[in-house]
Amino acid sequence: MVTISIVETHELSRVFLGNVEVWAVNEVTLTVPRGQFVAVLGPSRSGKSSLLNLLGAQDVASMGRLVVDGVSVTNLRGDELADFRRQRVGHVAQVARLIPSLTVLRNVMVPLLPYRRGLRFDLETRARELLDALDLGAHAAQMPAMLSEGEAQRVAIARALINTPPLLLLDEPFINLGRGADGAVLNLLDRLNREAGLSVILATREQGVAEVADRVVRMDKGRLLD
């Protein structure tokens, strides 16, 4: 059954304990309808990245409830958690973290390479289509060391989309893209939103970037302000 909301959180929190207790995410309650493009706007160290890490199951909540695409993430463990990350969420961090020993094409394909024989589509064809859509087709055979930071970030976006996830998380995606590249990214996201119902949550500190979204929520000191 398809759920109406892609993300539901209730008092979701991430607390780091030490000499000083730090609430990176502080009792965030948020509902994101399926197919919506949401920008989380806030200054540096406001908790945006920590929130995205929780939504993408890259980190574990200290307390609260999280449901993504109808799945209660806070209850997942082991293989179930790995399957959730692979099947339901594409996550692009601020640093691309490409595998230096693989070509650009293989970096895009790598999340699904172990499952290639069971796929209903040709993995290499889909990877090349994503690279072409992001103006990277000519770089498919290159190694990551030959790319600029912006090109590497676009490869990371293609990699995050290779499994056709219902939710894409983008952490400050346009900082290093370079002149004109943001247009290719936004065009692809807009097409996937319209054609495939892709939901997008984008973290940014820039008001101008946030304005491309359907909805803007503001965050500071770990809390949502509105």
Side-chain angles (χ1 to χ4, degrees):
M1 182 177 69
V2 177
T3 56
I4 296 175
S5 299
I6 189 69
V7 168
E8 296 178 23
T9 76
H10 180 70
E11 297 185 352
L12 190 68
S13 301
R14 181 66 172 101
V15 186
F16 294 96
L17 302 176
N19 293 332
V20 178
E21 188 176 83
V22 178
W23 288 66
V25 177
N26 194 342
E27 296 185 346
V28 166
T29 296
L30 175 68
T31 298
V32 178
R34 187 175 296 274
Q36 193 172 68
F37 191 148
V38 176
V40 181
L41 177 65
S44 297
R45 304 181 67 83
S46 60
K48 305 185 303 296
S49 296
S50 296
L51 177 61
L52 261 60
N53 285 339
L54 293 178
L55 299 183
Q58 300 298 324
D59 198 1
V60 179
S62 303
M63 60 192 75
R65 182 171 61 88
L66 169 62
V67 177
V68 176
D69 197 27
V71 176
S72 178
V73 179
T74 43
N75 294 328
L76 298 180
R77 298 291 185 275
D79 290 344
E80 291 180 334
L81 193 57
D83 289 342
F84 167 83
R85 296 190 191 106
R86 176 172 55 86
Q87 296 171 356
R88 299 182 186 271
V89 180
H91 192 172
V92 182
Q94 292 184 31
V95 179
R97 296 192 182 94
L98 303 181
I99 300 174
S101 59
L102 298 181
T103 65
V104 165
L105 180 65
R106 298 290 281 188
N107 263 283
V108 176
M109 296 168 60
V110 74
L112 294 182
L113 279 174
Y115 314 96
R116 187 173 188 173
R117 292 186 178 181
L119 297 176
R120 297 181 180 179
F121 57 89
D122 183 76
L123 180 57
E124 182 173 335
T125 298
R126 174 161 175 77
R128 290 186 182 278
E129 289 173 349
L130 287 168
L131 290 173
D132 288 342
L134 292 168
D135 295 337
L136 289 168
H139 300 279
Q142 292 183 347
M143 306 303 287
M146 302 174 68
L147 303 177
S148 68
E149 288 186 1
E151 289 165 346
Q153 191 72 352
R154 278 183 282 157
V155 174
I157 292 172
R159 180 179 60 189
L161 291 170
I162 191 67
N163 59 345
T164 320
L167 175 64
L168 178 66
L169 305 172
L170 298 166
D171 193 355
E172 298 281 8
F174 301 133
I175 290 179
N176 298 316
L177 281 186
R179 182 178 299 177
D182 54 347
V185 172
L186 288 173
N187 287 338
L188 177 60
L189 296 183
D190 180 65
R191 177 166 63 83
L192 292 174
N193 176 262
R194 288 184 288 103
E195 296 177 2
L198 176 69
S199 306
V200 180
I201 300 178
L202 178 153
T204 183
R205 71 192 77 169
E206 300 180 34
Q207 179 71 43
V209 172
E211 289 174 354
V212 306
D214 302 324
R215 171 188 173 197
V216 179
V217 296
R218 299 175 188 276
M219 192 169 188
D220 196 20
K221 298 178 181 178
R223 289 186 177 273
L224 289 188
L225 304 182
D226 52 82

